[in-house]
Each structure stands twice: as C-alpha cells, then as structure tokens.
Amino acid sequence: MKCNYHTHCNYCDGKEPIENFVRRANEIGFDHLGFSSHAPVPNENDFAIEEQRIPEYVAEIKSFQKQSKAKLFVGLECDFIPQMTQAFDHYRNDYQLDYIIGGVHLVRPDNSDEVWFIDGSKREIYDNGLAQLFNNDIRKAVTTFWEQTFQMLEEEHFDIIAHFDKIKMHNQNRFFTEDEKWYMELVDHAIELIRKQNIIIEINTRGLYKKRCEHFYPSDYILQKAGKLHLPFIISTDAHKSEELDLFYNEAAAHLKSFGIDQLVHFENNHWKEYNI
C-alpha cells in the first residue's frame, strides 16, 4: 500500500486546490490520501483554516471520494497551545473527521499570551522568539516545547503526532545538540507517553526536500527506540504542493526498514490497521 495522511491544500497554507492533490495521488498510484489542513489558532496567522470554512473543506473532499481511485480521508492538523486552542474533540465531533494529527508549532511560555513560532521558512523568527520570550535560554525554551507536547499527549485525543521533534529544525546544532542528556530525557519521556496513549508516529519527509533539516522527523534515535517498542508508524510527506506528495516517500520506507520497522498502519473502517511495507 501507499498512503499519505498529512496534506495541506489551499484551505490553509497549502498552495493548490484539493482537486490537484487528488489528481496527482491517482497518477502516482496512492491507495489512500488524507487531507489535514491546519486547524484554527487564536492568534493572527496566515497558515490555518478559518473555522467557518471547515464545512466547505469537508464537503469538497467528500465530493471527490466517488471519482477518486485513491481513498480520500478528512482530517485536521490541530495545534496544541495550553489555555488557547480548542479541544481536539471539538473538531473531530463537530465536523465528523476521520482522524486528527496533533502537533506543536507555537510554544507558549509560562504566564504569557505570546507564542514562539518554531516552524516556517524564516530562521530569524525562531531566533527572535528565543531571545524575546526566553532570554536566549535554549534549555528553558526547548523544555517548554517538550512539556507542551507532554501536555498535549496527556490531555487531547488524537491519532497521529506530527513531526514531533520539529524543535530541531531551526536549531541546526547551533544552540543545543540532540545527544545532550537533558534533551534525551525529554525525548524519552515523550516516547513513553506516546506508547501509553498508542499514538501513531509519522516519519515526516518535508524537512529533507525543503532542505531545512538534514534528517527525517523524528530523529534516528527516536525511530530506533520507537521501533523496538513496536509503536505504530505512517509515512508523511507533509505536502503543500501536489508535486510533493511522494517526495522522499520510498526513502522513508527504506529508512524505517533499516531499523527493522517493516509495518505501517492505514485507516480502514474507522480503525488503524497494520500492513507490511
């Protein structure tokens, strides 16, 4: 099977309409294609869908289901910001979503309504947020990111965790390294929470093809440890253009197999089921 559940169309920050992604998925022989527009967030932004447009988004995806060879699914990528974002179940229940991807792109410091944007193409936004909101204390900033991830895992109901070590993208080993003891302890705790909640881990290829990261999300250390725990996996290209739908897909599959991970999961009859790579 060939499945991709992390896709952004022009209802959020994707660059093309749903139709283009459906056409491309059918051309390259995808079995499943899931759409996952960024769910609304309370601060002003240019990347999330507006809530009043979600019914239109859902209806448009469903309108292509009968004519598509690939099975189409409706999801959202929901940001978790403590005391700021809607509960994930609000979107799942109100809009009858097939699945939810949970992630942290906006880190909220303690006792602040400002957020640190750790994603996007501009490294200076990451650096400026680190300076202004955390006084350049990288350990405090990174720990806040992971603690927010822990809280999401403990409080929200979702299926897939998005690029869950995304905090490394703009770091590029400038402020911390991933083999530092304090960092690895945070990662290990996240893996344990993922195991307890039975959350699916995506191996995300976007950092590679956008040349913003030298490795997949998550790191090899995480993949190896999660593999030994037999945690469920999917491959995501996090496509924002239809031409990105299968970029580094085969490479990601080979990478997983190199660690002895030879099964992925797919969505079928409202359940996630295993299949062999």
Side-chain angles (χ1 to χ4, degrees):
M1 295 190 70
K2 199 168 186 178
C3 307
N4 194 346
Y5 299 99
H6 193 156
T7 310
H8 296 284
C9 62
N10 60 0
Y11 277 90
C12 60
D13 61 346
K15 307 304 181 186
E16 297 178 39
I18 288 167
E19 180 178 10
N20 289 20
F21 290 93
V22 175
R23 183 186 307 116
R24 176 64 178 162
N26 288 319
E27 288 173 354
I28 60 180
F30 267 45
D31 296 284
H32 288 184
L33 175 63
F35 289 91
S36 56
S37 283
H38 289 286
V41 292
N43 57 313
E44 187 175 340
N45 68 87
D46 59 1
F47 62 83
I49 190 171
E50 297 174 352
E51 181 149 9
Q52 63 267 28
R53 297 199 71 198
I54 296 178
E56 177 187 355
Y57 160 78
V58 172
E60 185 170 346
I61 295 168
K62 290 185 175 180
S63 74
F64 286 102
Q65 286 177 331
K66 289 185 179 180
Q67 56 188 283
S68 173
K69 293 179 183 177
K71 289 185 178 181
L72 305 182
F73 299 91
V74 186
L76 286 173
E77 182 179 7
C78 293
D79 260 280
F80 178 78
I81 312 172
Q83 289 84 51
M84 292 181 72
T85 46
Q86 288 265 22
F88 293 1
D89 278 346
H90 160 72
Y91 299 109
R92 185 192 299 273
N93 298 333
D94 284 17
Y95 302 106
Q96 300 298 298
L97 302 180
D98 294 312
Y99 63 91
I100 287 177
I101 300 174
V104 174
H105 304 80
L106 299 153
V107 179
R108 183 184 185 185
D110 291 338
N111 304 314
S112 174
D113 287 333
E114 295 186 80
V115 291
W116 179 35
F117 185 46
I118 64 161
D119 201 358
S121 60
K122 297 179 180 178
R123 180 185 284 186
E124 59 267 27
I125 292 176
Y126 179 98
D127 291 1
N128 290 341
L130 176 61
Q132 294 166 11
L133 299 178
F134 295 96
N135 196 30
N136 282 322
D137 185 339
I138 189 62
R139 182 165 176 174
K140 181 178 180 181
V142 171
T143 298
T144 303
F145 164 83
W146 282 110
E147 287 177 344
Q148 195 167 310
T149 301
F150 302 159
Q151 189 176 349
M152 177 180 70
L153 285 162
E154 291 168 335
E155 295 182 5
E156 297 289 355
H157 300 105
F158 60 104
D159 303 80
I160 302 159
I161 188 162
H163 40 61
F164 85 92
D165 62 347
K166 191 69 173 280
I167 192 69
K168 73 185 181 186
M169 183 178 78
H170 285 309
N171 173 57
Q172 298 293 319
N173 292 321
R174 295 180 300 143
F175 302 112
F176 70 93
T177 60
E178 295 172 71
D179 59 358
E180 293 180 53
K181 184 174 184 291
W182 64 269
Y183 182 85
M184 295 183 73
E185 287 174 349
L186 292 165
V187 167
D188 287 345
H189 187 58
I191 294 171
E192 178 58 20
L193 289 174
I194 287 168
R195 184 192 66 78
K196 286 181 178 178
Q197 304 294 349
N198 196 34
I199 301 294
I200 299 162
I201 297 174
E202 66 166 16
I203 178 170
N204 185 303
T205 71
R206 186 168 177 80
L208 282 171
Y209 67 77
K210 295 295 288 185
K211 295 182 170 55
R212 293 177 189 159
C213 189
E214 295 180 355
H215 306 283
F216 295 105
Y217 310 114
S219 68
D220 287 355
Y221 171 78
I222 294 171
L223 293 175
Q224 288 176 294
K225 187 157 188 173
K228 289 176 181 176
L229 293 170
H230 304 289
L231 302 185
F233 283 92
I234 60 168
I235 297 171
S236 296
T237 64
D238 201 346
H240 289 60
K241 299 177 182 178
S242 59
E243 66 190 30
E244 297 170 348
L245 272 178
D246 62 344
L247 291 185
F248 284 84
Y249 191 101
N250 293 334
E251 290 85 345
H255 198 63
L256 289 173
K257 291 183 77 171
S258 74
F259 296 135
I261 301 166
D262 56 9
Q263 289 188 321
L264 300 173
V265 296
H266 69 288
F267 194 70
E268 197 73 51
N269 297 322
N270 295 315
H271 291 87
W272 294 96
K273 300 179 181 179
E274 290 185 337
Y275 68 97
N276 292 328
I277 299 177

